[in-house]
Amino acid sequence: QVQLVESGGGLVQAGASLRLSCAVSGRTFSSYNMGWFRQAPGKEREFVSAISRRGINTAYADSVKGRFTISRDNAKNTVYLQMNSLKPEDTAIYYCAADPRLVWSTNYASQGKYDYWGQGTQVTVSS
């Protein structure tokens, strides 16, 4: 069974940085495309970022471009989301997701693409 566990969330002031981690079980992590999504109170879950299995291809929502960076360490079965210059509007529960397909595709922002999801980690940014 594939399991995803997020960590690294917390309460910070605007302008601060956080790095989220998502540890994935199993030996097939290197074959998974990975994504980050977030959901704020009263709002729908939205796409944040995605990365291909080798880390060559990456994608970002317009709201986080230039501030967030997605990366992965396949030796550690872990994907990261480095969040800089945090804003109050970044406040949300952040979820990690895994897609076991073998190829990168253009539907990386679709929740339906991902078969496995973590429990989420809370990020709160105060002004």
Side-chain angles (χ1 to χ4, degrees):
Q1 182 179 0
V2 177
Q3 295 184 347
L4 287 67
V5 180
E6 301 98 331
S7 62
L11 173 63
V12 299
Q13 295 182 352
S17 297
L18 284 173
R19 188 173 79 159
L20 305 183
S21 298
C22 176
V24 183
S25 66
R27 299 179 181 179
T28 59
F29 174 75
S30 62
S31 297
Y32 284 50
N33 300 302
M34 301 294 299
W36 285 98
F37 293 77
R38 67 186 183 185
Q39 186 169 21
K43 300 180 66 176
E44 296 183 350
R45 189 175 300 181
E46 65 178 357
F47 168 76
V48 176
S49 187
I51 188 168
S52 61
R53 61 192 181 97
R54 292 185 177 90
I56 301 301
N57 298 308
T58 59
Y60 299 92
D62 289 341
S63 59
V64 306
K65 285 182 179 178
R67 299 188 298 119
F68 291 11
T69 302
I70 190 170
S71 62
R72 65 192 298 160
D73 186 342
N74 287 350
K76 296 182 177 180
N77 287 359
T78 302
V79 63
Y80 304 95
L81 185 67
Q82 178 67 46
M83 305 184 295
N84 297 329
S85 301
L86 283 164
K87 304 175 181 179
E89 50 262 45
D90 295 319
T91 296
I93 300 175
Y94 284 71
Y95 297 91
C96 180
D99 167 24
R101 277 71 176 177
L102 296 179
V103 299
W104 177 256
S105 64
T106 57
N107 67 336
Y108 48 78
S110 175
Q111 297 181 46
K113 172 180 173 64
Y114 301 90
D115 291 346
Y116 307 103
W117 294 80
Q119 63 185 5
T121 185
Q122 177 71 49
V123 173
T124 302
V125 184
S126 65
S127 59

